[in-house]
Amino acid sequence: MHFALSEEQQAIAASVDEVLAAESTPAVIRESESKRPLALFSTLGEVGLLGLALPEAADGLGLGACDWVRPLISAGFYALPVPLTDAIAVGPALAAAGKLDLARALCAGEARVSLAPSPRGLAQDADLADLVVAPSADGLVVLDASAAVRQNSVDRARWAFSGFRPVDTLSVDATPVRLRATLATAAQLVGGARRMVELATAYAKARRQFGKPIGAQQAVQHRLANALLAVSFAEPTLYKAAWSLDSASPDAPRDVSTAKALASDAARVCRNAALQVHGAIGYTIECDLQLWLTRSIVLERLFGSSGTHEAAVADALNL
């Protein structure tokens, strides 16, 4: 069995990296804290990023989870300040429900969706969305966001809202929507964790103390090595979960929970290590690191915490 990205998958990943490196810079992320990033949607639509999981009938690329996991890692690495996870998770369900016009508009960046973990949960970027939905036992609940209220969030670039009112239900299986959203969130956590390790490593090389870079200290080296080890263990589980989703394996819920639990743990380890290497300056608004610190705190709890998914894995294994 060949455990590596194909040439086509590598080409897609390289293309996504190039676009996000130019379009999702720290300056753009900071600007999103006050000015909503509507222009980004058109760009992402033009390069096909919003249509990765959409079928060809909806003008999408029709790719499976094994294909879009790597681009979602990149989205986390560059802290993309728009609801890409929502498009990946909800887009195929819209097409399955016969909402092809909306799905095509979503693919082109002309329409936007926001996915809440539950009908009573918080929805990120609901103010940007043309459609706000939440998974339920009966399908996807359509939520009225006209009276939604913005809530405080540590991630100032991704606004969170509550106070939705159910108005309709799309008769589709919501389980794949939740699984795709959970896996996409885990992928962004892994990408963000790698970025935090990279930022901390660069800082450790540049910051000097007593005439030497602080990275020369073994305590700092060990801390960063452990962080890199954690994220290196988490990343392969993303691809295992993606394969389970694409093959409709009965173990898909367990594998997705495994990926989310390990990704959350890795993000926490990398966040703590990066903050300790930087010191107090790492959490200041002026420091780029805080953009990834705050994003990881939100993503770690979104679509189930580490503890929730660890319990789900234990139940699946009858432990």
Side-chain angles (χ1 to χ4, degrees), residues 278-294:
H278 278 77
I281 194 175
Y283 206 72
T284 62
I285 294 176
E286 293 79 12
C287 184
D288 286 348
L289 177 65
Q290 60 87 18
L291 301 173
W292 281 267
L293 292 176
T294 54

Side-chain angles (χ1 to χ4, degrees), residues 183-196:
L183 179 56
T185 302
Q188 290 190 72
L189 276 166
V190 167
R194 284 203 175 276
R195 185 61 176 268
M196 287 188 285

Side-chain angles (χ1 to χ4, degrees), residues 191-238:
R194 284 203 175 276
R195 185 61 176 268
M196 287 188 285
V197 173
E198 182 178 288
L199 290 170
T201 301
Y203 185 81
K205 292 178 179 179
R207 177 75 166 88
R208 301 182 70 84
Q209 193 173 59
F210 305 114
K212 295 182 180 180
I214 62 173
Q217 301 176 27
Q218 281 193 339
V220 174
Q221 294 172 4
H222 290 170
R223 187 94 189 201
L224 292 176
N226 288 336
L228 184 59
L229 186 65
V231 74
S232 297
F233 269 103
E235 187 166 348
T237 66
L238 300 175

Side-chain angles (χ1 to χ4, degrees), residues 49-265:
L49 197 52
L50 296 173
L52 289 174
L54 281 166
E56 294 181 6
D59 298 335
L61 298 179
L63 300 180
C66 288
D67 301 304
W68 54 251
V69 156
R70 176 58 178 77
L72 265 294
I73 293 175
S74 293
F77 186 85
Y78 292 102
L80 185 66
V82 299
L84 179 59
T85 290
D86 309 57
I88 294 290
V90 178
L94 294 178
K99 306 287 186 180
L100 286 178
D101 288 342
L102 181 56
R104 292 190 184 103
L106 174 65
C107 181
E110 297 168 355
R112 295 163 291 277
V113 296
S114 178
L115 177 66
S118 69
R120 294 180 178 272
L122 295 174
Q124 290 187 305
D125 303 307
D127 60 317
L128 301 176
D130 300 282
L131 178 70
V132 181
V133 295
S136 73
D138 300 320
L140 277 182
V141 177
V142 179
L143 303 173
D144 178 9
S146 60
V149 179
R150 183 182 174 187
Q151 303 296 322
N152 291 329
S153 174
V154 293
D155 184 357
R156 293 181 293 273
R158 300 290 308 276
W159 296 6
F161 292 84
S162 66
F164 303 101
R165 182 173 62 87
V167 292
D168 196 7
T169 301
L170 298 179
S171 298
V172 295
D173 186 358
T175 299
V177 175
R178 179 178 289 279
L179 291 177
R180 285 193 296 268
T182 303
L183 179 56
T185 302
Q188 290 190 72
L189 276 166
V190 167
R194 284 203 175 276
R195 185 61 176 268
M196 287 188 285
V197 173
E198 182 178 288
L199 290 170
T201 301
Y203 185 81
K205 292 178 179 179
R207 177 75 166 88
R208 301 182 70 84
Q209 193 173 59
F210 305 114
K212 295 182 180 180
I214 62 173
Q217 301 176 27
Q218 281 193 339
V220 174
Q221 294 172 4
H222 290 170
R223 187 94 189 201
L224 292 176
N226 288 336
L228 184 59
L229 186 65
V231 74
S232 297
F233 269 103
E235 187 166 348
T237 66
L238 300 175
Y239 294 101
K240 174 58 167 70
W243 181 86
S244 294
L245 278 180
D246 288 346
S247 59
S249 168
D251 294 330
R254 181 201 67 191
D255 293 340
V256 170
S257 284
T258 300
K260 182 58 165 63
L262 288 177
S264 297
D265 290 343

